[in-house]
Amino acid sequence: MVKKILWIDTETTGLDPAHNEITQLSCIYEEDGEVKDSFNCYMQPENWSYITEEALEVQGKTIEQLKEYPSKQTGFVQFVVGFLEKHVNRYDKTDKIVLAGQNVDFDKNFLYNFFCKSGNKWFYSYFYHQVLDLKQLAFVLSLNNFIKVKDVKLSSLAAECGFEFKNAHDARFDIEMTRNVYKKYIERFFINKE
Protein backbone atom coordinates (compact mmCIF):
# COMPACT_ATOMS: atom_id res chain seq x y z
CA MET A 1 0.00 0.00 0.00
CA VAL A 2 1.37 3.42 -0.97
CA LYS A 3 1.49 5.75 2.03
CA LYS A 4 0.06 9.07 0.89
CA ILE A 5 0.35 12.10 3.16
CA LEU A 6 -0.86 15.62 2.51
CA TRP A 7 0.84 18.17 4.76
CA ILE A 8 -1.59 21.06 4.98
CA ASP A 9 -1.77 24.52 6.47
CA THR A 10 -4.35 27.25 6.08
CA GLU A 11 -4.63 30.93 6.80
CA THR A 12 -8.19 31.95 7.61
CA THR A 13 -10.40 34.94 8.35
CA GLY A 14 -10.86 33.80 11.97
CA LEU A 15 -11.03 30.73 14.18
CA ASP A 16 -14.60 29.50 13.54
CA PRO A 17 -14.86 27.16 10.52
CA ALA A 18 -18.64 27.60 10.49
CA HIS A 19 -18.34 31.32 9.68
CA ASN A 20 -14.73 32.09 8.80
CA GLU A 21 -13.04 31.04 5.56
CA ILE A 22 -9.70 29.99 4.10
CA THR A 23 -7.66 32.75 2.46
CA GLN A 24 -4.46 30.73 1.87
CA LEU A 25 -4.15 26.98 1.40
CA SER A 26 -0.71 25.34 1.19
CA CYS A 27 0.09 21.66 0.87
CA ILE A 28 3.01 19.31 0.42
CA TYR A 29 2.10 15.92 -1.03
CA GLU A 30 4.29 12.92 -0.31
CA GLU A 31 4.19 9.24 -1.20
CA ASP A 32 6.19 6.76 0.84
CA GLY A 33 8.16 9.58 2.46
CA GLU A 34 9.13 11.37 -0.76
CA VAL A 35 7.76 14.78 -1.77
CA LYS A 36 5.95 14.41 -5.09
CA ASP A 37 4.05 17.68 -5.41
CA SER A 38 3.06 20.91 -3.67
CA PHE A 39 0.24 23.40 -3.85
CA ASN A 40 -0.27 26.98 -2.72
CA CYS A 41 -3.16 29.31 -3.47
CA TYR A 42 -4.79 32.44 -2.12
CA MET A 43 -8.51 33.09 -2.32
CA GLN A 44 -11.04 35.72 -1.39
CA PRO A 45 -13.54 35.03 1.35
CA GLU A 46 -17.19 35.25 0.37
CA ASN A 47 -18.42 36.55 3.71
CA TRP A 48 -16.60 39.82 4.34
CA SER A 49 -18.50 40.55 7.56
CA TYR A 50 -16.84 37.65 9.43
CA ILE A 51 -13.20 38.69 8.97
CA THR A 52 -11.60 39.27 12.36
CA GLU A 53 -9.08 42.02 13.02
CA GLU A 54 -6.92 39.46 14.86
CA ALA A 55 -6.68 37.25 11.77
CA LEU A 56 -5.65 40.17 9.58
CA GLU A 57 -3.11 41.34 12.13
CA VAL A 58 -1.57 37.88 12.61
CA GLN A 59 -1.19 37.42 8.84
CA GLY A 60 -0.09 40.99 8.19
CA LYS A 61 -2.86 41.40 5.59
CA THR A 62 -5.47 44.04 4.82
CA ILE A 63 -9.00 43.78 3.42
CA GLU A 64 -7.72 45.44 0.26
CA GLN A 65 -5.10 42.70 -0.20
CA LEU A 66 -7.71 39.96 0.29
CA LYS A 67 -9.88 41.59 -2.39
CA GLU A 68 -7.04 41.11 -4.90
CA TYR A 69 -7.05 37.31 -4.42
CA PRO A 70 -8.82 34.97 -6.88
CA SER A 71 -12.32 33.80 -5.99
CA LYS A 72 -13.00 30.95 -3.58
CA GLN A 73 -14.49 28.93 -6.46
CA THR A 74 -11.27 29.32 -8.45
CA GLY A 75 -9.24 28.16 -5.45
CA PHE A 76 -11.50 25.14 -4.95
CA VAL A 77 -11.22 24.02 -8.57
CA GLN A 78 -7.45 24.51 -8.55
CA PHE A 79 -7.12 22.46 -5.36
CA VAL A 80 -9.52 19.60 -6.08
CA VAL A 81 -9.38 19.22 -9.87
CA GLY A 82 -5.93 20.60 -10.57
CA PHE A 83 -4.09 19.11 -7.59
CA LEU A 84 -5.92 16.58 -5.42
CA GLU A 85 -7.39 14.43 -8.18
CA LYS A 86 -3.91 13.91 -9.64
CA HIS A 87 -2.99 11.98 -6.50
CA VAL A 88 -6.10 10.14 -5.31
CA ASN A 89 -8.99 8.31 -6.94
CA ARG A 90 -12.07 9.17 -4.88
CA TYR A 91 -13.92 6.20 -6.42
CA ASP A 92 -11.39 3.74 -4.97
CA LYS A 93 -12.13 3.14 -1.27
CA THR A 94 -8.57 1.92 -0.68
CA ASP A 95 -6.98 5.04 -2.17
CA LYS A 96 -6.98 7.81 0.44
CA ILE A 97 -4.64 10.45 1.80
CA VAL A 98 -3.69 11.15 5.42
CA LEU A 99 -3.92 14.82 6.36
CA ALA A 100 -0.94 16.01 8.41
CA GLY A 101 0.10 19.26 10.02
CA GLN A 102 0.50 21.32 13.18
CA ASN A 103 -2.81 21.31 15.07
CA VAL A 104 -4.16 19.76 11.88
CA ASP A 105 -7.73 19.31 13.14
CA PHE A 106 -8.09 23.10 12.82
CA ASP A 107 -7.12 22.95 9.14
CA LYS A 108 -9.13 19.78 8.55
CA ASN A 109 -12.31 21.44 9.87
CA PHE A 110 -11.80 24.45 7.59
CA LEU A 111 -11.02 22.20 4.63
CA TYR A 112 -14.12 20.07 5.30
CA ASN A 113 -16.31 23.19 5.37
CA PHE A 114 -14.55 24.44 2.24
CA PHE A 115 -15.72 21.26 0.48
CA CYS A 116 -19.25 21.50 1.89
CA LYS A 117 -19.71 25.18 1.05
CA SER A 118 -18.41 24.47 -2.47
CA GLY A 119 -21.09 21.80 -2.95
CA ASN A 120 -18.69 18.84 -2.83
CA LYS A 121 -19.79 16.04 -0.47
CA TRP A 122 -16.84 13.74 -1.21
CA PHE A 123 -14.34 14.92 1.43
CA TYR A 124 -13.93 11.48 3.03
CA SER A 125 -13.59 9.87 -0.38
CA TYR A 126 -10.23 11.65 -0.59
CA PHE A 127 -9.06 11.64 3.03
CA TYR A 128 -8.84 9.27 6.00
CA HIS A 129 -10.62 10.27 9.19
CA GLN A 130 -7.33 9.87 11.11
CA VAL A 131 -4.65 12.56 10.96
CA LEU A 132 -0.95 13.02 11.73
CA ASP A 133 -0.48 15.93 14.12
CA LEU A 134 2.93 17.38 15.00
CA LYS A 135 1.43 19.17 18.02
CA GLN A 136 0.21 15.88 19.51
CA LEU A 137 3.50 14.11 18.80
CA ALA A 138 5.46 16.97 20.41
CA PHE A 139 3.18 16.91 23.45
CA VAL A 140 3.89 13.20 23.98
CA LEU A 141 7.64 13.73 23.51
CA SER A 142 7.63 16.67 25.94
CA LEU A 143 5.52 14.85 28.51
CA ASN A 144 8.03 12.00 28.50
CA ASN A 145 11.05 14.35 28.68
CA PHE A 146 12.39 13.51 25.22
CA ILE A 147 12.28 17.19 24.30
CA LYS A 148 12.41 20.30 26.48
CA VAL A 149 10.12 23.06 25.20
CA LYS A 150 8.10 25.80 26.92
CA ASP A 151 5.06 24.97 24.74
CA VAL A 152 4.22 23.00 21.60
CA LYS A 153 3.84 25.98 19.26
CA LEU A 154 5.53 25.54 15.89
CA SER A 155 8.05 28.30 16.64
CA SER A 156 9.16 26.54 19.86
CA LEU A 157 9.44 23.16 18.16
CA ALA A 158 11.40 24.62 15.24
CA ALA A 159 13.84 26.27 17.67
CA GLU A 160 14.22 23.00 19.59
CA CYS A 161 15.21 21.31 16.32
CA GLY A 162 17.65 24.11 15.40
CA PHE A 163 15.57 25.55 12.54
CA GLU A 164 15.31 29.29 11.90
CA PHE A 165 11.68 30.37 12.17
CA LYS A 166 10.99 33.67 10.41
CA ASN A 167 7.83 33.71 8.27
CA ALA A 168 5.15 32.62 10.73
CA HIS A 169 1.59 32.70 9.48
CA ASP A 170 2.45 32.25 5.87
CA ALA A 171 0.86 28.87 5.16
CA ARG A 172 3.57 27.78 2.71
CA PHE A 173 6.39 28.49 5.16
CA ASP A 174 4.48 27.00 8.10
CA ILE A 175 3.73 23.70 6.39
CA GLU A 176 7.31 23.28 5.17
CA MET A 177 8.53 23.89 8.73
CA THR A 178 5.92 21.53 10.18
CA ARG A 179 7.02 18.70 7.90
CA ASN A 180 10.71 19.38 8.61
CA VAL A 181 10.20 19.27 12.39
CA TYR A 182 8.03 16.14 12.19
CA LYS A 183 10.62 14.34 10.05
CA LYS A 184 13.38 15.40 12.45
CA TYR A 185 11.50 13.94 15.43
CA ILE A 186 10.74 10.69 13.61
CA GLU A 187 14.42 10.35 12.71
CA ARG A 188 15.59 11.22 16.24
CA PHE A 189 13.19 9.09 18.25
CA PHE A 190 11.64 6.38 16.09
CA ILE A 191 14.22 5.18 13.57
CA ASN A 192 16.66 2.55 14.78
CA LYS A 193 20.05 3.61 13.47
CA GLU A 194 21.82 0.33 14.30
Side-chain angles (χ1 to χ4, degrees):
M1 176 173 106
V2 176
K3 295 186 196 103
K4 298 180 175 184
I5 298 175
L6 189 66
W7 296 89
I8 183 168
D9 191 62
T10 59
E11 298 301 331
T12 65
T13 59
L15 302 176
D16 181 0
H19 296 105
N20 299 122
E21 299 169 82
I22 296 171
T23 57
Q24 184 185 8
L25 173 61
S26 289
C27 308
I28 299 170
Y29 174 72
E30 70 174 58
E31 287 182 10
D32 292 331
E34 285 188 40
V35 173
K36 299 290 186 180
D37 204 353
S38 64
F39 178 82
N40 183 64
C41 78
Y42 297 89
M43 59 195 107
Q44 288 185 27
E46 289 181 333
N47 191 339
W48 296 93
S49 61
Y50 277 102
I51 301 171
T52 67
E53 288 296 323
E54 295 83 6
L56 291 172
E57 187 177 322
V58 162
Q59 296 170 45
K61 301 290 181 189
T62 64
I63 296 288
E64 290 70 30
Q65 286 174 303
L66 297 185
K67 287 183 177 177
E68 293 176 6
Y69 292 166
S71 71
K72 183 171 115 173
Q73 294 80 9
T74 298
F76 187 79
V77 170
Q78 288 174 348
F79 176 65
V80 175
V81 178
F83 176 76
L84 195 57
E85 291 187 353
K86 287 193 304 187
H87 305 296
V88 65
N89 177 1
R90 72 178 169 99
Y91 301 105
D92 181 351
K93 292 182 179 179
T94 65
D95 187 20
K96 292 185 189 280
I97 298 175
V98 176
L99 286 173
Q102 168 74 350
N103 193 24
V104 72
D105 279 331
F106 175 88
D107 304 289
K108 180 182 176 184
N109 289 336
F110 270 92
L111 193 62
Y112 178 80
N113 280 344
F114 184 42
F115 270 65
C116 292
K117 290 176 182 177
S118 299
N120 186 310
K121 60 183 179 179
W122 305 109
F123 184 83
Y124 287 108
S125 296
Y126 296 101
F127 302 109
Y128 287 106
H129 286 269
Q130 299 80 6
V131 296
L132 288 179
D133 195 330
L134 172 61
K135 187 175 184 179
Q136 295 299 319
L137 172 62
F139 180 74
V140 171
L141 293 174
S142 176
L143 199 61
N144 290 283
N145 296 314
F146 287 103
I147 61 173
K148 304 271 191 250
V149 287
K150 63 180 179 179
D151 54 46
V152 289
K153 291 180 181 176
L154 183 56
S155 55
S156 300
L157 302 178
E160 195 278 333
C161 288
F163 294 122
E164 185 179 351
F165 192 81
K166 56 185 175 182
N167 291 328
H169 300 293
D170 172 79
R172 179 180 282 179
F173 174 83
D174 287 353
I175 202 54
E176 288 173 359
M177 185 60 66
T178 298
R179 183 177 181 273
N180 289 342
V181 171
Y182 182 88
K183 295 292 184 183
K184 184 78 115 174
Y185 285 155
I186 293 299
E187 184 181 309
R188 270 167 67 184
F189 302 114
F190 298 98
I191 295 177
N192 187 344
K193 296 192 170 70
E194 294 178 4

